Amino acid sequence: MAAVSDKMADLSVQEPKTATVYVDEDVGKDEPTQQGTEQSPYKTMHYAYIQTKGEAKEYLTRKAAPAGSDEAAQAAAKEWKPATKSAMKKAASLYEQHKKKVAREQELAADRKRKEEEQQKKFEEAKKVVLEEDKSLPQPIRIKLDEVGDHIKLRKADSEEKGTRVRVLGRVHRVRKQKENMFIELRDGYGIMQVLLQGKLTQTYDALILARETSMEIFGEMYEVPAGANAPLNRELHADFYKIPSNWRAAGGEDAITNRVQPGTEHATLLDLRHLTLRGDVSSSVMLVRDAVEYAFNQAYKESRIRKVSPPALVQTQVEGGATLFKFDYYGADAYLTQSSQLYLETCLPSLGDVYCIEKSFRAEKSLTRRHLSEYTHVEAELDFIDFNDLLNHIEHMICRVLEIILADPAIAEKVMKLNPEFKMPERPFMRMKYADAIEWLKEHDIPNEEGNPHAFGDDIAEAAERRMTDIINRPIFLTHFPVEIKAFYMQRDPEDQRVTESVDCLMPGVGEIVGGSMRLDDYDQLMAAFKREGLDPAPYYWYTDQRRYGSSPHGGYGLGLERFLAWLCKQHTVRDCCLYPRFMNRCKP
């Protein structure tokens, strides 16, 4: 009945077209175009009663006979009969409800119209308010929102000594009204500043329609916040003038950013709106931490006297296997997007010494797991004249040194701890576990392989099993000495066990592998045998194999996935949220 009532509430009540109204539950229609006549009957008594205000002389009804009825029953069903008393009583009750509902809607509509007129009047009055800068005030200095120093003096609440007059530019992050005052949180990518608008400044049209993400230029005096109050850097700007050019205004109402991007929105939609999602607290914090992490890697490498180089992204050789190569036409020849810069880094060792790069790598894996990307940032390094233990110690040092550098910055440390309150510096030394021991551990803990069987030596430990093991142990793990058959052709074999390579994966709780590395084959004949074993033509790799012909050396290296490192550090569920615009299978926008 309620559904019928809701439908009728939107309809205008019509005057009866005839003294007798017809209702046919089988072929009638509850539409305003119906006349209620025998040729144009309504479908229900409820609708007929409302349309005629209950003023018809009589209401005649009929409905089809049940399926399988005899001829007499079917003939009787075709006859028009007066509506029953119970049907009339129910229709009358519904009509009274309908009248109350219509009256309420009319009242609300009138109230809305009144408020809209008042709002419009308020807008028109606000448009007449014009702000002018007081030129008698001190010339402001331009500062970033996080800028501090002796050149910025704060006016204390109980002092007549003025604070520094400044000029700031930023975007509105939050707006809060308190009586006749407006408090604005302004953001510029470097910090947040609380701004206080008072008096005439709150009465302008711009102030009335101020929406989040609107850009503003604000002039005012710097104050120390009152005792008991909180604000970024314990200060606020008391504005005396501001500007908002029309093209600086952000959309409001239904199109406001808080409506388009909000908690609970489907992840695919958030990725479609990544340009807006990046303005949110979490996404912007992850990007700021990312910036700090990249800077820290550069600093840590420089401290270790490791030189930065920039290898090519367009290549004609493979590193990790043809199945994950992005192939394209390069002036009529086959070429690929690089899977890794490792081979090129190795060529730099004789002349430059230890080297590293932070570049993009590309993998055409048809994978939609939360730790896979088709384009990712690869931190790679190659170290000369080392052994396998040196390699492990170096990786451990780099990870911990990068963490030390970023956590030494209070602003970045605060963001990390807000994103990941449970974060703790990794305990050193990292746990070291050989692949063979990991297989036994997985069997002991009843963690099966991808086929559902107990793990066996030679299995490529799947992501799920690897992550379960790491999460249970709950500390960084150097998983080492993988079988030759499941690792890349260029990896050095363990002198003590020719079945396995001097290889390592660094596993972190919550995300799994973040680093993969190994000692590299440094013997020419062994490298040629590896090419043959993998079915690769060594000819296109002449520039790589020559490294073993012109003064070879024991060397090794590794690659670290920056997005995986960030997912672990910032406790993000997926690496997709740890890069600016993620690229993975079926997504190459925006």
Side-chain angles (χ1 to χ4, degrees):
M1 182 183 295
V4 175
S5 176
D6 290 342
K7 179 179 178 182
M8 295 175 178
D10 295 329
L11 305 175
S12 58
V13 178
Q14 301 174 348
E15 294 296 331
K17 299 292 190 298
T18 177
T20 300
V21 174
Y22 293 83
V23 177
D24 190 322
E25 296 181 17
D26 185 34
V27 299
K29 295 179 181 178
D30 285 344
E31 297 176 358
T33 53
Q34 294 295 99
Q35 301 299 308
T37 61
E38 188 172 0
Q39 293 74 32
S40 180
Y42 296 122
K43 186 176 183 63
T44 66
M45 266 297 301
H46 306 155
Y47 189 87
Y49 202 93
I50 289 174
Q51 289 297 98
T52 59
K53 299 181 182 180
E55 296 175 354
K57 182 178 180 181
E58 62 177 342
Y59 295 88
L60 300 180
T61 67
R62 69 179 180 185
K63 60 181 178 181
S69 300
D70 56 24
E71 291 184 6
Q74 291 181 14
K78 292 181 180 180
E79 297 178 3
W80 294 100
K81 299 177 182 177
T84 64
K85 290 182 179 181
S86 62
M88 291 294 291
K89 184 177 181 180
K90 186 181 291 185
S93 176
L94 183 61
Y95 178 49
E96 290 302 315
Q97 294 177 31
H98 171 75
K99 286 196 297 182
K100 290 178 181 178
K101 187 173 183 178
V102 169
R104 178 58 179 162
E105 288 179 349
Q106 290 174 343
E107 182 182 331
L108 291 174
D111 189 53
R112 283 195 299 270
K113 184 178 180 181
R114 177 181 57 78
K115 288 181 178 179
E116 288 171 1
E117 290 174 349
E118 290 177 356
Q119 184 79 302
Q120 191 59 39
K121 185 178 180 181
K122 195 173 182 180
F123 284 160
E124 294 303 321
E125 291 298 318
K127 289 177 181 179
K128 297 175 184 178
V129 178
V130 179
L131 301 180
E132 293 183 1
E133 184 180 3
D134 186 347
K135 297 298 183 180
S136 68
L137 294 173
Q139 188 69 18
I141 63 170
R142 166 74 191 280
I143 67 170
K144 293 286 189 182
L145 300 184
D146 68 335
E147 193 170 328
V148 295
D150 294 338
H151 62 300
I152 304 174
K153 186 176 182 180
L154 304 182
R155 182 171 182 172
K156 298 184 182 299
D158 58 353
S159 173
E160 293 298 320
E161 191 175 357
K162 291 186 176 296
T164 304
R165 188 166 184 259
V166 301
R167 168 176 167 257
V168 298
L169 292 100
R171 289 178 174 82
V172 175
H173 191 50
R174 288 187 180 87
V175 179
R176 175 169 56 90
K177 294 184 179 181
Q178 190 178 75
K179 297 181 180 179
E180 301 301 317
N181 299 328
M182 284 182 66
F183 290 91
I184 297 171
E185 279 190 7
L186 206 65
R187 181 177 66 170
D188 67 353
Y190 295 91
I192 292 177
M193 181 178 286
Q194 181 166 290
V195 180
L196 173 62
L197 304 186
Q198 296 175 298
K200 188 177 180 180
L201 298 182
T202 68
Q203 298 165 10
T204 67
Y205 179 69
D206 282 326
L208 291 184
I209 65 168
L210 191 60
R212 181 171 172 174
E213 296 302 320
T214 293
S215 296
M216 300 182 72
E217 179 180 10
I218 306 180
F219 301 73
E221 184 181 351
M222 296 300 299
Y223 272 68
E224 185 178 84
V225 295
N230 294 306
L233 298 176
N234 198 38
R235 66 185 186 181
E236 65 184 6
L237 175 63
H238 287 210
D240 56 57
F241 179 67
Y242 62 82
K243 297 177 183 177
I244 305 178
S246 59
N247 59 313
W248 287 18
R249 294 174 185 157
E254 292 183 1
D255 291 327
I257 191 170
T258 48
N259 289 331
R260 298 193 67 191
V261 179
Q262 54 186 306
T265 301
E266 185 182 19
H267 194 251
T269 301
L270 293 178
L271 290 178
D272 288 340
L273 298 176
R274 184 68 174 160
H275 57 292
L276 299 180
T277 308
L278 285 169
R279 299 191 184 200
D281 289 338
V282 172
S283 294
S284 61
S285 292
V286 172
M287 291 301 104
L288 288 169
V289 173
R290 180 186 174 117
D291 169 65
V293 168
E294 286 200 46
Y295 178 86
F297 268 109
N298 283 310
Q299 181 178 332
Y301 280 122
K302 291 302 178 187
E303 291 174 356
S304 298
R305 300 183 65 205
I306 301 176
R307 296 186 170 96
K308 186 176 184 180
V309 295
S310 297
L314 310 181
V315 301
Q316 290 187 306
T317 51
Q318 66 188 52
V319 181
E320 300 294 343
T324 65
L325 284 167
F326 280 109
K327 185 177 179 180
F328 66 96
D329 180 87
Y330 188 73
Y331 303 107
D334 289 343
Y336 314 97
L337 296 178
T338 184
Q339 301 164 309
S340 167
S341 297
Q342 175 208 319
L343 304 189
Y344 293 95
L345 292 179
E346 289 187 56
T347 68
C348 299
L349 295 178
S351 56
L352 300 179
D354 300 339
V355 291
Y356 81 99
C357 69
I358 301 178
E359 302 285 350
K360 294 289 188 180
S361 285
F362 305 86
R363 302 286 173 92
E365 290 174 284
K366 293 184 177 180
S367 174
L368 289 173
T369 75
R370 60 190 177 97
R371 69 174 193 170
H372 281 92
L373 291 167
S374 297
E375 174 190 76
Y376 66 100
T377 300
H378 214 171
V379 181
E380 298 182 88
E382 290 294 318
L383 311 176
D384 205 8
F385 296 108
I386 63 168
D387 60 27
F388 188 50
N389 198 53
D390 293 332
L391 178 64
L392 299 183
N393 290 338
H394 165 83
I395 295 172
E396 181 179 287
H397 167 75
M398 286 301 300
I399 290 173
C400 292
R401 181 60 187 138
V402 165
L403 293 173
E404 289 171 356
I405 293 170
I406 64 173
L407 294 178
D409 182 333
I412 297 300
E414 182 182 358
K415 291 188 181 299
V416 170
M417 297 313 296
K418 190 171 182 179
L419 291 164
N420 187 2
E422 300 171 357
F423 178 77
K424 294 180 181 178
M425 278 290 290
E427 181 183 340
R428 301 174 71 175
F430 291 180
M431 180 179 179
R432 301 187 182 192
M433 175 187 285
K434 289 188 176 182
Y435 164 89
D437 295 330
I439 291 295
E440 293 304 314
W441 190 98
L442 291 168
K443 288 195 291 188
E444 290 171 4
H445 288 78
D446 295 322
I447 299 175
N449 62 19
E450 287 188 300
E451 286 73 39
N453 300 318
H455 277 87
F457 190 91
D459 285 350
D460 191 355
I461 301 174
E463 174 191 347
E466 178 186 272
R467 195 166 62 245
R468 282 188 65 190
M469 179 178 73
T470 310
D471 290 349
I472 291 171
I473 295 174
N474 197 31
R475 59 178 294 193
I477 303 171
F478 278 143
L479 190 57
T480 66
H481 297 90
F482 290 86
V484 172
E485 291 76 18
I486 63 174
K487 282 297 181 180
F489 71 92
Y490 51 74
M491 293 187 178
Q492 185 75 267
R493 295 193 185 210
D494 181 1
E496 298 180 1
D497 185 351
Q498 290 290 298
R499 300 178 306 157
V500 299
T501 55
E502 290 187 319
S503 54
V504 59
D505 285 353
C506 182
L507 312 179
M508 289 295 183
V511 70
E513 180 195 348
I514 64 168
V515 179
S518 75
M519 295 298 292
R520 316 308 192 189
L521 280 171
D522 54 50
D523 182 84
Y524 180 83
D525 292 335
Q526 290 179 7
L527 183 59
M528 287 297 143
F531 273 110
K532 184 175 181 181
R533 186 180 69 247
E534 295 296 321
L536 292 173
D537 179 6
Y541 293 84
Y542 70 93
W543 51 273
Y544 180 66
T545 58
D546 271 357
Q547 303 304 307
R548 280 73 180 169
R549 299 178 62 204
Y550 293 89
S552 190
S553 61
H555 64 283
Y558 59 91
L560 176 145
L562 188 68
E563 288 81 11
R564 290 189 185 181
F565 183 90
L566 283 163
W568 165 66
L569 176 62
C570 298
K571 202 174 184 179
Q572 297 300 292
H573 177 70
T574 171
V575 294
R576 299 171 188 176
D577 294 334
C578 297
C579 50
L580 201 64
Y581 287 93
R583 298 290 183 256
F584 52 93
M585 190 171 70
N586 300 326
R587 176 167 291 277
C588 197
K589 68 174 186 179

